[in-house]
Amino acid sequence: MCSIELPYLLPHLASVLVSSVDVSGPVVVVRARTRSLAPTPCTGCGTPSGWCHSRYVRRLGDTSLGDRPVLIELSVRRLYCENAACEKVTFAEQVPGLTVRYQRRTPLLQQVVEAAGVLLAGRGGARMLRVLNVTLSRCTVLSQLMRMPLPPLVTPRVLGVDDFALYGDTYGTLLVDATTRLPLTLWEGRDAEQLSRWLREHPGVEIVCRDGSLTYRQGIIAGAPEAVQISDRFHMWQGLSRRVQDIAAAHRSCLPAALPPTAEGDPGPDAEATDGAAADTRAGRHARRLFEAVHTLTGSGRSYSSVARELGLDRRTVRKYARARTWQEVMRRPPRKPSALDPYRDYLQQRWDEGEHNAMILHGELRNKGYLGHYQRVKMAIAPLRRGLPLDQPRERPPSPRETARWITTHPDRRSHHVTHRLHRLLERCPELKRTHDLVRRFAAMLHNRDASSLPAWLDELSHSGLPPLTGIAGALREDQHAVAQGISTPYNSGVNEGRITDVKLQKRLMAGRAGVPLLRRRVVLIAHLR
């Protein structure tokens, strides 16, 4: 018997006798045999038998030793089954913890293969196993992964339901245990019938967290009518923020009022002049031309699809232009990019007044002060001074509708001093945005205090606000008022669902979008339990 002993075989030395270890080749070969003569239960009927028929050698792959793969050649007994009624005539004995029926890998190596498949899927798992001196194809890794049993599904008390994009316009549904934060299952589609069927098959769900989806609402009512539905606070706030952005876009002409006056006592920039300047740009002419064409065709009763085909546009673009009231609402106005020369403009004006008119010398002086820009920019900056005009000063652009919505939805304590003053000037000029701001802050106070007692009155004010975007969301919230009130007043939310959906997207990207739903479901569930 060789003096080398593998650590993996040490627990099995009572039943396994190591005869030799060959380390001369590229593979470490361990030759051993079972030495127990005790009766072994039949693998078919379980009847113990010690009647030996013959011996044969099983070859088992094991985890590598150092940087070399290990092969165990184990001689085991083949026994007769002493039960005449058993279908098996002979059977092979098994060494617990070392051999498994129909398996050419030890349990330890099998665990490594399964872990690589769960964490890295097919190709990635096969590459990692090659680093560990285990050569398997990606198909074998995936096959071992699909053979792994899923953890037993325990019906949760608090269930999270959310959808995610599988590919293109195809969506899936993910169910999460909101208490343990573990995913339960997922499937393709997001219809109410699948969800109601799952709830009927797994009774006991008391609380369901979801977004404002009507489909999931109907599925929960059909499958678990006694469950309390909770509409997620994040989705409610997100929907309200989008309506605020729509209102800001509809009142785009008021947004220049947020800019500070150019001088003390001077009025701010004129909105009509600003719109006129925008209309003279290439983007403004393009937006106005499309706006007029879309409204002319849709005003005659034609559908969005036919208008899109005629104008060569996407249907969503046609819908955006058709829903806009003015062409300014759909015009994109990129914010002015700050220039590296802006902090040095006052110095340039000072040096020009002192008589220094050489752009090369001015550029050198600015470089000594830390300016890293090109000489050409300095030359262009002082060009107005050569024509007797004042030095161009950077002017702030009016805020975009999206930026305005962010100001309104941000908590006052988190706004900067600059933003607070700009928003104050804007709200003084536009009563519609001021009304929107007051309604948003009231809803934010309800969320912060977790008090839904004033929700009915707030919905009434929303409905009578005279602002179409807020009127529309008021109707949607009123239809789901009980779930909205629960979402405001209870600590449950869909944050767990969103986190798990992020995991699902990561696993999809790791498999390059080629994974089917069964493989994706298995990996998502097993990875969560590995953590």
Side-chain angles (χ1 to χ4, degrees), residues 425-440:
R425 288 192 293 267
L426 176 59
L427 298 183
E428 286 183 343
R429 172 71 179 271
C430 185
E432 290 82 4
L433 287 177
K434 179 173 177 55
R435 191 180 316 128
T436 303
H437 174 268
D438 296 339
L439 291 171
V440 169

Side-chain angles (χ1 to χ4, degrees), residues 320-480:
K320 179 180 68 174
Y321 276 86
R323 291 181 176 180
R325 295 187 295 179
T326 62
W327 63 268
Q328 290 90 344
E329 295 183 23
V330 293
M331 180 181 173
R332 293 183 178 181
R333 297 184 180 182
R336 175 189 178 275
K337 295 181 180 180
S339 171
L341 190 62
D342 291 346
Y344 305 98
R345 292 182 181 273
D346 293 339
Y347 179 79
L348 285 177
Q349 182 69 52
Q350 175 188 345
R351 294 292 290 138
W352 184 273
D353 295 339
E354 292 174 356
E356 182 56 68
H357 298 168
N358 190 310
M360 186 67 71
I361 296 177
L362 291 175
H363 177 256
E365 294 178 1
L366 292 183
R367 287 184 65 86
N368 293 334
K369 288 182 171 292
Y371 175 64
L372 301 177
H374 196 268
Y375 151 78
Q376 192 68 23
R377 180 165 293 181
V378 178
K379 180 181 177 180
M380 295 174 61
I382 64 175
L385 297 176
R386 298 187 185 279
R387 300 191 300 270
L389 301 175
L391 188 68
D392 291 338
Q393 295 295 330
R395 293 182 59 90
E396 291 184 89
R397 285 184 177 271
S400 65
R402 184 175 183 178
E403 188 177 8
T404 304
R406 185 168 64 249
W407 291 354
I408 293 175
T409 56
T410 301
H411 193 278
D413 295 341
R414 297 184 178 180
R415 298 175 190 151
S416 65
H417 184 73
H418 176 65
V419 169
T420 300
H421 281 281
R422 296 184 71 182
L423 180 60
H424 179 70
R425 288 192 293 267
L426 176 59
L427 298 183
E428 286 183 343
R429 172 71 179 271
C430 185
E432 290 82 4
L433 287 177
K434 179 173 177 55
R435 191 180 316 128
T436 303
H437 174 268
D438 296 339
L439 291 171
V440 169
R441 297 322 316 162
R442 285 183 56 189
F443 186 70
M446 284 190 285
L447 293 178
H448 179 73
N449 300 325
R450 290 186 178 176
D451 183 10
S453 58
S454 57
L455 178 62
W458 182 79
L459 289 176
D460 291 338
E461 292 188 26
L462 217 62
S463 302
H464 298 89
S465 62
L467 302 171
L470 295 185
T471 304
I473 194 175
L477 294 177
R478 197 182 299 278
E479 293 179 0
D480 199 20

Side-chain angles (χ1 to χ4, degrees), residues 285-307:
R285 292 192 295 270
H286 176 73
R288 184 170 54 182
R289 183 171 63 253
L290 282 185
F291 177 82
E292 294 173 353
V294 168
H295 275 261
T296 300
L297 295 176
T298 56
S300 61
R302 297 181 57 178
S303 64
Y304 292 165
S305 300
S306 63
V307 174

Side-chain angles (χ1 to χ4, degrees), residues 136-320:
L136 290 177
S137 68
R138 62 181 180 88
C139 297
T140 303
V141 176
L142 290 178
S143 174
Q144 298 302 314
L145 170 60
M146 296 303 293
R147 288 173 53 188
M148 293 180 62
L150 290 175
L153 195 152
V154 179
T155 302
R157 175 179 171 269
V158 184
L159 177 68
V161 183
D162 209 344
D163 60 346
F164 64 94
L166 271 174
Y167 45 84
D169 295 332
T170 303
Y171 288 82
T173 299
L174 176 68
L175 303 186
V176 182
D177 187 340
T179 304
T180 61
R181 312 178 72 88
L182 293 176
L184 299 175
T185 185
L186 61 87
W187 59 73
E188 182 177 348
R190 52 179 178 179
D191 57 292
E193 177 58 31
Q194 286 179 298
L195 179 58
S196 63
R197 187 187 312 117
W198 189 93
L199 289 173
R200 286 192 296 268
E201 294 173 355
H202 302 84
V205 176
E206 301 177 7
I207 300 173
V208 183
C209 301
R210 55 165 177 80
D211 55 14
S213 171
L214 176 62
T215 301
Y216 289 147
R217 188 194 320 170
Q218 295 172 345
I220 296 168
I221 293 175
E226 301 298 329
V228 177
Q229 299 190 39
I230 296 180
S231 185
D232 183 52
R233 293 190 292 272
F234 167 77
H235 289 92
M236 290 189 288
W237 186 255
Q238 185 184 51
L240 183 61
S241 301
R242 289 174 178 170
R243 302 311 190 280
V244 173
Q245 183 174 341
D246 293 341
I247 296 173
H251 296 81
R252 190 187 293 269
S253 60
C254 299
L255 301 184
L259 299 179
T262 55
E264 187 175 355
D266 293 342
D270 186 22
E272 295 182 0
T274 303
D275 289 340
D280 293 335
T281 62
R282 180 180 178 181
R285 292 192 295 270
H286 176 73
R288 184 170 54 182
R289 183 171 63 253
L290 282 185
F291 177 82
E292 294 173 353
V294 168
H295 275 261
T296 300
L297 295 176
T298 56
S300 61
R302 297 181 57 178
S303 64
Y304 292 165
S305 300
S306 63
V307 174
R309 286 192 296 269
E310 179 172 339
L311 298 180
L313 300 174
D314 188 87
R315 185 181 182 278
R316 289 173 293 185
T317 303
V318 173
R319 182 179 60 186
K320 179 180 68 174

